[in-house]
Amino acid sequence: MANNDPQPSKKPSSPGNFFQGWWWVYLLIAILLISQWWMWGTPAAKETTWLDFQNNMLVQNDVSSIVVLNQERAEIYIKPERLGSGAYQEIPKENEGPHFFMNIGSVEQFETKLEEVTLAQELDPIPVKYQKRTNLLAEILAWTLPFLIIIAVWVFILRRVGRGGGGAGGFNPFDFGKSGAQVFDDTNTSKVTFQDVAGLDEAKVEVMEIVDFLKNPETYTRLGAKIPKGVILVGPPGAGKTLMAKAVAGEAKVPFFSISGSEFVEMFVGVGASRVRDLFRKAKEKAPSIIFIDEIDAIGRSRSKTFSMQSNDERESTLNQLLTEMDGFGTNVGVIVMAATNRADMLDKALLRPGRFDRHIYLELPNVDERKAIFLVHMRPLKLHSATDAQTLAAQTPGFSGADIANICNEAALIAARRKKDLIEMEDFTEAIDRIIAGLEKKTKIISGEEKNIVAYHEAGHATVSWFLKHTDSLMKVSIVPRGKSLGAAWYLPEEHHIFTRQQFLDRICAALGGRAAEDVVFNEVSSGALDDLEKVTKQAFTMVAFYGLDPEMGNISYYDSNGEYEQSLQKPYSEATAQLIDRVVRELVASSYARTKQILIEHRKELEELARLLLQKEVVVREELEQIFGPRPQKTVS
Ligand code: ADP
């Protein structure tokens, strides 16, 4: 979902904040260092080895006493009169020691060695004291450090996951249950207006009415009417639902809280419900206001259709909270909840009943005039050549959503820029449309001559069959330039249909089988290149038989699962015998279509071969050339 609007202000974290946030880590390190120093005495004592100690101190009778510390370190005190001269030149007389230290392996070993040397050298016995120094701070740290580390990791995780919901500024664990909705108000206004929304006229009228409810509620309440609480925008992805909501925000000039359904549900249980509460509380404080929940299916999915798993429990409690909040506020509070979804059929019925989201606004994919209007909106900021024509582009893009059109305009500008042009021309738009339909041209993809031959016949097969059938779309061009994953493609100009007859379905299946049938007819061998076609054909045949009741043997029966019940429970709504019948009927349907397709190709083999040769020669064959080969398409006129 495109979102170009400014983000709500977030305080940048300055380096000062960073140091403030981590002060306790620095404090810990400081405490550790100090306690280390305190524990092991003055750093003035020099480290020495047993040999050095034995030969240069002990045997010389220089040692006055030894302190064994914590059974692991021996601190050596030199007789004061020896200091400041000889080997101890560098140690001043006033230094009370310890003057040297060494780490000992074990106390017994140390004692034995000391005794041996003292006896052997007939030295005066040296007093050895044993001391235990415990460092309270270090002990405390040893106990608490693991906990501190765990807490630090926890805080770190909370900070990361809480970022979406935490809102602006520094981290506060208590912000976790806050909604984190994006707010548009006096200081942060949405710049989108109804001017930016092209087409969608009926939806616009309904949405404008909502703006009016908020601005002039008395006009309606005066007559006893209740203002709707919730409005749901339903439409395919990219149809402009979010755009419409932003336009409402821009036009209504009331605070507008925008949040996505998925932002309610986090990994922590209970967060969703409290975020819903928080969102409604804020909206009520600022009433009249609008709450917009994008992708509401993330929380509002029908409860009967979900497995009861942990995450769904969380979603359910969030949904319950949402229902409660919507029931809880009266119609005169001045808060209207808008929501958007692509799957209204998946939503919980409780959400859609009157008193909650009682208004449904359907946004359809744009028709040719609306597409033209959307092209014009998105062409406004572009530098166009005078020959670019929104009408032609709209005619070439049936089935495209508003988002696709926005994408084409941007892509065309990028293509023109890459070609170092000053103005965007029509061919840039055509290239952008091709790219969006079929993916990027891959001119560098190396294909062997033999494979190219197969691809050429395959594509020529699609073209020939669709040309001679009555109910297929008009063919615009055929290409064997590899694009995206495919090695070739045929471009059609789809017509806008709302219903299909059985014959239309069958013709389309034949056109899709044309590629494989051509390979079969020409080479007597088939290849794996027909995967996508076969998938499409199988699905189409299945829907004809199992959903649309278009097969005489199956009769007028539909197993279509509009509310996803069977999809979730992994059951089939029909018996095993019916499953076998469906399988057989689908197979027969595809087989008879294949036979028909082959027949067409055998009849028109001459044209098929001619087109394939032309494709191998030119790679792209356009409509005029197709007409030269096949003659004018008898049944159809091109729009
Ligand atoms: P949805 O929420 O329905 O999935 P969006 O509202 O996010 O779709 O649409 C994505 C983009 O498509 C928008 O930002 C806008 O640029 C473009 N768009 C969609 N519909 C229209 C329209 N009717 N007029 C102008 N632009 C549109």
Side-chain angles (χ1 to χ4, degrees):
M1 202 121 316
N3 185 358
N4 307 325
D5 288 316
Q7 293 289 321
S9 61
K10 271 198 176 177
K11 275 187 223 155
S13 61
S14 64
N17 280 352
F18 174 80
F19 284 109
Q20 274 167 24
W22 291 93
W23 61 267
W24 54 274
V25 177
Y26 301 113
L27 187 72
L28 264 183
I29 295 172
I31 291 174
L32 269 177
L33 288 178
I34 292 170
S35 61
Q36 193 75 7
W37 174 78
W38 185 81
M39 171 104 169
W40 296 118
T42 52
K46 266 185 122 181
E47 187 165 7
T48 184
T49 60
W50 170 261
L51 267 185
D52 186 36
F53 164 70
Q54 179 188 306
N55 299 339
N56 301 331
M57 301 177 208
L58 198 57
V59 177
Q60 309 302 328
N61 212 2
D62 291 344
V63 178
S64 76
S65 68
I66 295 175
V67 175
V68 174
L69 201 58
N70 291 353
Q71 305 203 339
E72 48 185 279
R73 173 184 283 209
E75 289 182 342
I76 301 150
Y77 291 78
I78 303 293
K79 291 178 179 160
E81 62 272 20
R82 306 283 161 93
L83 294 176
S85 62
Y88 312 109
Q89 189 93 41
E90 287 166 13
I91 306 174
K93 275 198 181 320
E94 8 354 303
N95 187 344
E96 289 175 0
H99 304 108
F100 295 92
F101 73 89
M102 62 183 168
N103 290 320
I104 53 174
S106 78
V107 179
E108 289 85 50
Q109 222 180 3
F110 175 70
E111 281 173 349
T112 325
K113 279 202 277 187
L114 190 65
E115 203 179 305
E116 274 172 13
V117 178
T118 331
L119 285 177
Q121 303 290 328
E122 296 175 358
L123 302 170
D124 298 335
I126 294 174
V128 179
K129 275 195 266 175
Y130 295 90
Q131 270 186 12
K132 192 163 178 63
R133 269 188 222 160
T134 50
N135 184 340
L136 197 61
L137 262 178
E139 295 275 305
I140 293 172
L141 272 183
W143 281 101
T144 52
L145 204 59
F147 294 106
L148 287 178
I149 290 173
I150 291 171
I151 292 172
V153 170
W154 190 68
V155 166
F156 178 72
I157 293 175
L158 277 190
R159 219 181 238 231
R160 301 218 78 178
V161 291
R163 202 170 286 158
F171 169 70
N172 177 358
F174 299 105
D175 274 354
F176 209 49
K178 302 235 168 113
S179 72
Q182 203 178 345
V183 187
F184 297 99
D185 52 18
D186 308 342
T187 49
N188 176 28
T189 48
S190 167
K191 302 207 172 42
V192 183
T193 64
F194 285 134
Q195 291 267 309
D196 300 305
V197 187
L200 306 172
D201 290 333
E202 296 87 2
K204 243 195 272 186
V205 170
E206 293 210 42
V207 172
M208 279 183 199
E209 202 181 19
I210 294 161
V211 177
D212 202 40
F213 284 150
L214 287 171
K215 283 187 170 166
N216 314 305
E218 314 79 42
T219 327
Y220 302 89
T221 48
R222 191 169 51 90
L223 300 175
K226 285 189 192 136
I227 289 175
K229 288 182 187 173
V231 181
I232 195 154
L233 299 168
V234 184
K241 301 180 290 294
T242 317
L243 185 74
M244 189 71 108
K246 281 186 192 154
V248 173
E251 298 273 342
K253 309 258 182 311
V254 297
F256 183 90
F257 297 78
S258 169
I259 191 165
S260 167
S262 57
E263 281 173 50
F264 286 114
V265 190
E266 293 266 9
M267 59 195 267
F268 297 102
V269 180
V271 170
S274 67
R275 284 189 180 168
V276 171
R277 259 193 309 275
D278 180 65
L279 180 64
F280 277 79
R281 187 182 48 72
K282 280 191 198 145
K284 272 187 250 176
E285 273 168 15
K286 293 209 170 179
S289 59
I290 299 174
I291 294 177
F292 174 60
I293 306 174
D294 207 350
E295 313 279 355
I296 194 171
D297 34 325
I299 44 170
R301 193 169 277 246
S302 177
R303 284 169 287 190
S304 59
K305 283 168 219 152
T306 44
F307 298 117
S308 68
M309 281 189 285
Q310 177 71 32
S311 61
N312 290 328
D313 288 350
E314 168 64 357
R315 190 164 59 200
E316 196 162 306
S317 66
T318 311
L319 174 60
N320 282 336
Q321 188 61 42
L322 185 64
L323 297 177
T324 320
E325 290 290 344
M326 290 193 76
D327 284 341
F329 69 82
T331 44
N332 52 358
V333 173
V335 179
I336 290 189
V337 188
M338 288 179 77
T341 179
N342 325 330
R343 299 287 317 260
D345 54 321
M346 293 302 273
L347 289 183
D348 201 290
K349 294 284 170 286
L351 207 52
L352 298 177
R353 77 153 173 73
R356 286 161 184 163
F357 287 104
D358 36 14
R359 281 218 164 188
H360 300 190
I361 300 180
Y362 291 91
L363 307 187
E364 303 282 340
L365 285 179
N367 63 26
V368 64
D369 294 331
E370 289 171 328
R371 285 199 300 276
K372 181 180 170 191
I374 300 176
F375 263 114
L376 290 175
V377 165
H378 290 282
M379 281 173 160
R380 237 186 270 154
L382 304 180
K383 288 198 172 155
L384 298 174
H385 190 270
S386 56
T388 43
D389 176 21
Q391 180 70 45
T392 319
L393 289 172
Q396 283 179 5
T397 46
F400 278 47
S401 67
D404 291 331
I405 293 175
N407 195 5
I408 288 177
C409 291
N410 190 44
E411 197 67 46
L414 292 177
I415 291 171
R418 199 172 310 134
R419 292 174 177 166
K420 308 252 181 311
K421 291 185 188 174
D422 292 329
L423 297 171
I424 309 166
E425 293 177 50
M426 205 57 182
E427 57 170 21
D428 304 319
F429 278 98
T430 319
E431 171 73 36
I433 294 173
D434 287 355
R435 177 186 285 197
I436 284 169
I437 297 175
L440 205 59
E441 268 192 9
K442 290 200 178 141
K443 293 218 166 91
T444 49
K445 194 164 183 166
I446 297 169
I447 302 168
S448 69
E450 198 181 331
E451 275 182 359
K452 207 156 190 133
N453 205 20
I454 297 177
V455 175
Y457 275 95
H458 184 105
E459 295 307 328
H462 283 305
T464 312
V465 176
S466 60
W467 193 272
F468 291 106
L469 286 174
K470 190 173 173 196
H471 298 293
T472 48
D473 295 325
S474 305
L475 189 60
M476 296 309 291
K477 75 176 178 193
V478 191
S479 136
I480 54 166
V481 179
R483 264 177 194 277
K485 277 195 290 180
S486 70
L487 297 178
W491 268 260
Y492 296 93
L493 188 61
E495 285 154 32
E496 288 170 46
H497 284 283
H498 295 288
I499 49 170
F500 284 93
T501 62
R502 178 177 153 81
Q503 198 52 48
Q504 281 170 335
F505 264 119
L506 290 176
D507 281 4
R508 277 155 193 271
I509 290 180
C510 286
L513 286 170
R516 160 142 304 189
E519 292 176 31
D520 197 355
V521 169
V522 177
F523 305 113
N524 256 331
E525 191 168 41
V526 287
S527 75
S528 64
L531 174 65
D532 284 350
D533 300 334
L534 295 187
E535 186 190 351
K536 203 162 75 187
V537 164
T538 314
K539 279 195 182 137
Q540 219 158 57
F542 184 84
T543 50
M544 277 179 76
V545 173
F547 295 164
Y548 294 124
L550 287 177
D551 185 81
E553 198 175 340
M554 278 295 292
N556 297 327
I557 287 203
S558 173
Y559 295 112
Y560 185 58
D561 183 17
S562 67
N563 44 19
E565 256 167 73
Y566 293 104
E567 190 188 323
Q568 293 290 343
S569 61
L570 304 174
Q571 277 174 0
K572 289 197 191 89
Y574 39 76
S575 70
E576 190 48 43
T578 312
Q580 286 182 2
L581 178 66
I582 294 177
D583 282 347
R584 181 170 61 75
V585 173
V586 167
R587 216 173 303 130
E588 282 171 6
L589 203 151
V590 176
S592 63
S593 299
Y594 188 62
R596 184 169 163 232
T597 312
K598 270 177 83 172
Q599 195 50 46
I600 296 172
L601 289 175
I602 291 167
E603 266 171 42
H604 297 282
R605 171 112 189 214
K606 194 172 82 41
E607 291 95 324
L608 170 75
E609 303 246 358
E610 200 177 329
L611 175 56
R613 273 197 300 276
L614 193 62
L615 270 175
L616 283 169
Q617 190 191 330
K618 292 186 61 178
E619 293 209 325
V620 180
V621 174
V622 294
R623 188 174 172 88
E624 291 70 37
E625 292 161 316
L626 291 168
E627 233 161 60
Q628 276 177 11
I629 297 172
F630 296 127
R633 201 169 171 211
Q635 305 90 343
K636 289 267 156 176
T637 48
V638 190
S639 53

